[in-house]
Amino acid sequence: MMGPSLLARHKSFTSLVFPFTSDFVLENLGRMGLTLFLFVVGVKMDLGLLKRSGKKHLYIALASVFGPLLIVSIVAVLTRESMDEELARVSSIGEIALSFSVTTFPVHYTILEELNLLCSEVGNMALSIALISDAIGINFMVVFEAMKQGDGSAQSIIWYSISCVVMAAFTPVIRRAMVWIIEQTQEGEAVDQFYVIAILLGSFVAAFVTDMFGLGIANGSFWLGLMMPDGRPLGSTLVQKSETIITEVFMPCSFVFMGLYTDFYAMKEAGWSALRPLFGLVISGYLSKFFCTMLAAKVVGVSWRDSLAISLILSLRGYVELVLYVHWVDRNVIGLPGYSLMILGTIVVVGILTPLISILYDPSKPYMLKQRRTIQHTTQGDHLRILVCIRGKTNLPSLINLLQLFHPTVQNPFSLHAFYLVELIGPANPVFVEHQNQELEDLSGRFPDLEIIHHALKQYQEGREECVELHLFSAATVKPTMYQDVCKLALISKAVFIILPLEKKLDGEMETTEQWGGESGSIVTQILDNAPCSVGLLVEKAERWQLPQIASYNFIVLFLGGPDSREALAFSDRMSGNPCVSLTVVRFLASNAEGDDEMQRKLDDGVVTSFWVKNEANERVNYREVVIRNGADTTSAIVGMAAEKYYHMWIVGRKQGINPSLLEGLSTWSDHKEYMGILGDYLSFSESVNSDSVLVVQKQVLTGKGPNFFTPPGSIVSFMRRGRLFW
């Protein structure tokens, strides 16, 4: 809009906004942004993904590269007579055909990250294909660039080839220097800022050298980034220190600079006859890329929907292509009208395909089930499958203590799936690992607390091998897609309960921003919305909870009704068999049954009755009922219970099916009710409720079912006769 296509056509606007020296400043800031952007992309790129890619990815990549390359080349040959002299050169046709054939990894990583598809099956496949495509494209690019150099003289080809060899020879030297920097850094500390600045400045030097040798300004910084050891401490530090200023300061200047080049009026002045050959290449390039990729994916066994999603993703264009168009203008491959046509095509394609991808592929859809996976519906004697999510070693004390009190036995065993989650900083591709003992040392750089976590869990399992199965997993991924890994593992492991540990900071606030990425848009909220099973939020109120050396541990369940409360009661019922646990269940009833849902009330009656019949003879289990008029009565009753006895853990349902009259007036001051629920938030942050921890339980939400949907467990037979429910 600011360029000659609209506002810059007015001289007064140009003189005011873009004085004489502004073009020079914007162009150089834009090139600096390009250099740093490609350097960071090189740091993020994990070439090990090439080795881990399967044959399916390779076949799709080959078809998606060579298919469009062949088709665009054929179209170019057929329309070559109507092309201008520069465009008709073999090197120019090859570069344009290659641009539509090659899928650039930096562009598609950014797109998948913004669409929250990095950890999805389609996203992982697209990344692998893009990396293979890039590896093929770099070799072709060197060939076509050499041909372009050969348009001048044979001597230029020789010097170009020598330059490539010299750059390749320096690769091991630079790599060794980076390893030396890592060796100078103490374990657990960040890389010295002097080295960080020197490396970032080195990216400009590399860009200058490759541009001087005729290899292009973009290649030097990108290749330097590839030489950086990924992960901690060097790769992650470089990304953390530079990514914000690149995306927020330099990149906007790059886009403004590219936009100022674009002139749609130049297309009109050039006329259709001049642009028709290039337009034919553009249309054939996009269509051949789309259909070749989709058909290849389908041939190797990918579903039609996923094949369509992959082909749409790989047909997108982005920043790297825009830079390439500018490079073509500088090298006279295309003129300003052709450049404007390419920009227009990119805008149209991205604007149409991106929303289509979001519509076609929902990454959360596979995790929602129509079958029950809850503690309540797990019969006695079956393996109780629990998924424990760990963000660091600070989560271990409360988790281990809770597992110890869960009291697994040979008659009631459980499978523990421990999932260690690390935020992805440095290498771009997400990593998901099912651990074997010999793998721990190899992955310690990427997963810093892995050995401590593994040792603690193994120590917990000692003496319980007959009743506890232990499986350890790790994942390195970005926060926006971390919930997908959790839900995927819960689905695969057939977990019935996910435990998410939350810590309170010294100022009393919840440490969700640092650990789980904020509140309303956090990983916690996304897991609650998409989990294929029940979820428990374990809030550690004590700074570090250690089990007190006493004969009995007091737990209390606040039963306010609804599916979440029924699941919380089922959870506590599993611990009632532990001889070291004393359990108190308090049921809150609305005065005169005001606001009660009749169906929920009957379901609650059945579950509570079943629980009490089972534990009536257990002296360590107490049950009582409290009649409540409003939220003030609820908090008063809770404060009275806390004053009466010290409870080590408070267990409460999150929010599904709770009678609103029981919480009337409490929602106005609740800061974390979106994911904790009103009462869970109150118990976690109220100074009147002293405890070691709070467990907030959400029962599984079925696909297409509301929170009132209920399927009774096998141990309780229920049936409907003439509108009445019998137990």
Side-chain angles (χ1 to χ4, degrees):
M1 290 190 295
M2 297 175 67
S5 298
L6 191 60
L7 296 178
R9 296 188 67 82
H10 301 281
K11 293 183 179 180
S12 57
F13 175 83
T14 305
S15 60
L16 178 65
V17 179
F18 300 113
F20 179 73
T21 58
S22 64
D23 289 349
F24 174 80
V25 174
L26 277 175
E27 181 175 356
N28 282 279
L29 286 176
R31 294 187 187 278
M32 290 171 66
L34 162 68
T35 302
L36 291 173
F37 171 77
L38 291 175
F39 169 74
V40 170
V41 167
V43 174
K44 288 183 175 183
M45 187 180 291
D46 182 7
L47 295 179
L49 189 61
L50 284 171
K51 299 178 181 178
R52 298 192 294 271
S53 299
K55 291 182 179 180
K56 184 185 295 186
H57 303 150
L58 177 62
Y59 295 151
I60 298 174
L62 291 174
S64 66
V65 171
F66 290 103
L69 184 63
L70 179 62
I71 292 172
V72 175
S73 299
I74 292 173
V75 172
V77 171
L78 295 176
T79 59
R80 191 177 184 186
E81 292 182 358
S82 57
M83 295 179 182
D84 60 56
E85 183 180 353
E86 289 295 331
L87 184 60
R89 295 179 184 274
V90 176
S91 59
S92 299
I93 293 174
E95 287 190 31
I96 292 175
L98 186 65
S99 71
F100 289 106
S101 306
V102 173
T103 302
T104 52
F105 183 90
V107 168
H108 291 85
Y109 172 79
T110 306
I111 292 170
L112 291 169
E113 185 178 28
E114 291 178 356
L115 294 175
N116 288 337
L117 296 177
L118 270 181
C119 294
S120 64
E121 185 177 352
V122 166
N124 284 327
M125 184 173 289
L127 274 185
S128 297
I129 295 169
L131 191 57
I132 297 171
S133 176
D134 249 1
I136 298 171
I138 288 175
N139 293 287
F140 273 101
M141 181 192 67
V142 172
V143 172
F144 288 126
E145 192 64 31
M147 294 172 64
K148 188 68 178 176
Q149 297 281 346
D151 291 340
S153 65
Q155 186 178 4
S156 300
I157 298 180
I158 297 173
W159 280 114
Y160 179 82
S161 303
I162 293 174
S163 301
C164 292
V165 173
V166 170
M167 288 295 298
F170 268 97
T171 300
V173 177
I174 297 174
R175 179 79 176 185
R176 181 67 193 113
M178 298 303 111
V179 172
W180 180 83
I181 292 175
I182 293 175
E183 292 172 350
Q184 303 306 306
T185 305
Q186 296 293 329
E187 186 175 354
E189 296 183 2
V191 177
D192 190 271
Q193 189 148 327
F194 170 79
Y195 297 124
V196 175
I197 295 173
I199 293 171
L200 292 176
L201 291 176
S203 67
F204 294 119
V205 175
F208 168 76
V209 171
T210 53
D211 190 40
M212 180 179 67
F213 286 164
L215 299 174
I217 190 173
N219 292 320
S221 58
F222 178 66
W223 291 345
L224 180 65
L226 288 176
M227 299 174 200
M228 298 295 115
D230 58 9
R232 293 176 172 84
L234 185 57
S236 57
T237 302
L238 289 170
V239 174
Q240 285 179 317
K241 295 285 187 181
S242 60
E243 197 165 29
T244 300
I245 192 171
I246 292 171
T247 56
E248 304 296 336
V249 178
F250 288 113
M251 292 291 286
C253 293
S254 298
F255 284 114
V256 169
F257 166 65
M258 294 173 189
L260 293 178
Y261 259 79
T262 308
D263 187 358
F264 295 136
Y265 285 94
M267 295 170 55
K268 181 180 179 182
E269 294 171 0
W272 170 247
S273 60
L275 294 175
R276 183 173 54 191
L278 182 60
F279 181 77
L281 299 182
V282 171
I283 293 297
S284 62
Y286 281 120
L287 291 178
S288 60
K289 181 71 175 180
F290 175 79
F291 285 109
C292 288
T293 305
M294 183 174 64
L295 293 175
K298 183 57 183 173
V299 166
V300 297
V302 182
S303 67
W304 276 114
R305 179 179 287 270
D306 287 357
S307 298
L308 182 58
I310 291 171
S311 62
L312 290 175
I313 291 171
L314 298 181
S315 297
L316 290 171
R317 295 293 177 263
Y319 182 70
V320 174
E321 283 77 22
L322 300 183
V323 172
L324 186 61
Y325 303 156
V326 175
H327 177 66
W328 289 348
V329 174
D330 292 340
R331 302 299 299 272
N332 295 321
V333 174
I334 57 176
L336 191 58
Y339 170 82
S340 302
L341 175 64
M342 301 295 287
I343 292 290
L344 179 61
T346 302
I347 293 173
V348 171
V349 168
V350 172
I352 294 174
L353 298 190
T354 304
L356 281 178
I357 295 169
S358 301
I359 294 171
L360 281 171
Y361 191 80
D362 179 7
S364 64
K365 189 175 180 179
Y367 313 133
M368 304 298 288
L369 297 177
K370 294 183 179 180
Q371 295 82 30
R372 278 296 186 191
R373 284 192 183 177
T374 67
I375 295 178
Q376 184 183 351
H377 296 84
T378 303
T379 57
Q380 297 288 334
D382 287 348
H383 268 81
L384 186 67
R385 301 178 184 275
I386 298 176
L387 174 61
V388 177
C389 299
I390 304 171
R391 286 303 311 275
K393 58 187 177 182
T394 56
N395 298 147
L396 287 174
S398 57
L399 287 172
I400 295 296
N401 292 332
L402 177 62
L403 294 172
Q404 286 175 343
L405 293 175
F406 217 83
H407 194 55
T409 62
V410 176
Q411 292 75 27
N412 292 301
F414 71 77
S415 297
L416 177 63
H417 295 77
F419 194 17
Y420 177 31
L421 292 152
V422 176
E423 184 180 5
L424 182 65
I425 302 174
N429 57 294
V431 177
F432 183 91
V433 182
E434 181 177 1
H435 289 290
Q436 302 295 332
N437 290 337
Q438 64 270 20
E439 294 179 333
L440 297 180
E441 294 182 2
D442 299 336
L443 295 168
S444 59
R446 183 166 288 184
F447 302 101
D449 295 337
L450 181 59
E451 291 188 25
I452 297 174
I453 292 170
H454 180 261
H455 177 72
L457 293 172
K458 278 292 185 182
Q459 194 172 23
Y460 161 73
Q461 191 190 25
E462 286 182 5
R464 301 183 177 92
E465 288 84 357
E466 294 183 356
C467 54
V468 176
E469 291 182 3
L470 178 61
H471 307 274
L472 179 59
F473 302 84
S474 293
T477 183
V478 293
K479 281 185 178 179
T481 59
M482 202 172 277
Y483 80 97
Q484 295 179 19
D485 281 311
V486 175
C487 294
K488 185 189 301 181
L489 182 55
L491 186 68
I492 295 171
S493 64
K494 298 181 180 180
V496 299
F497 200 73
I498 299 173
I499 300 178
L500 299 176
L502 307 177
E503 295 180 25
K504 287 182 64 177
K505 297 186 290 187
L506 295 178
D507 59 4
E509 288 298 313
M510 197 70 70
E511 198 171 354
T512 52
T513 302
E514 291 81 358
Q515 286 197 326
W516 301 102
E519 294 182 7
S520 60
S522 69
I523 305 166
V524 174
T525 306
Q526 291 170 321
I527 292 174
L528 290 169
D529 291 341
N530 298 290
C533 60
S534 299
V535 181
L537 306 181
L538 180 61
V539 182
E540 184 182 1
K541 295 191 71 172
E543 186 175 345
R544 291 293 295 272
W545 180 32
Q546 299 292 338
L547 281 176
Q549 299 300 316
I550 55 178
S552 179
Y553 309 100
N554 300 316
F555 284 19
I556 184 170
V557 180
L558 304 183
F559 191 95
L560 278 76
D564 291 349
S565 291
R566 294 194 289 270
E567 185 71 356
L569 185 62
F571 180 91
S572 60
D573 186 29
R574 289 278 177 164
M575 290 190 293
S576 63
N578 190 334
C580 297
V581 172
S582 294
L583 181 64
T584 300
V585 178
V586 181
R587 184 178 183 184
F588 290 74
L589 300 172
S591 178
N592 300 321
E594 182 181 351
D596 276 354
D597 182 282
E598 184 178 355
M599 176 59 74
Q600 291 297 323
R601 177 71 176 263
K602 290 178 179 178
L603 294 173
D604 294 341
D605 289 343
V607 171
V608 171
T609 301
S610 174
F611 170 80
W612 182 239
V613 168
K614 176 185 175 183
N615 294 283
E616 187 176 10
N618 190 340
E619 296 180 353
R620 292 174 286 100
V621 177
N622 297 304
Y623 172 79
R624 62 174 123 159
E625 296 179 350
V626 180
V627 179
I628 299 297
R629 292 173 300 176
N630 51 39
D633 284 357
T634 301
T635 55
S636 297
I638 291 173
V639 171
M641 296 171 198
E644 177 184 315
K645 182 187 289 188
Y646 182 85
Y647 293 100
H648 299 96
M649 176 182 285
W650 293 67
I651 304 173
V652 65
R654 182 171 172 246
K655 64 180 182 180
Q656 291 186 80
I658 295 179
N659 187 335
S661 65
L662 301 179
L663 304 176
E664 183 181 352
L666 298 181
S667 61
T668 54
W669 54 265
S670 181
D671 295 329
H672 305 86
K673 63 181 179 182
E674 290 299 325
Y675 61 94
M676 294 291 295
I678 294 175
L679 206 56
D681 184 35
Y682 176 77
L683 293 172
S684 302
F685 292 94
S686 175
E687 296 181 358
S688 302
V689 181
N690 293 321
S691 68
D692 291 330
S693 60
V694 175
L695 182 68
V696 182
V697 177
Q698 174 185 276
K699 191 174 184 178
Q700 175 201 16
V701 180
L702 295 181
T703 303
K705 307 292 184 183
N708 297 338
F709 182 79
F710 175 74
T711 304
S715 59
I716 302 175
V717 180
S718 67
F719 54 94
M720 296 292 295
R721 289 184 179 173
R722 299 180 182 177
R724 297 187 62 190
L725 182 66
F726 295 87
W727 295 90

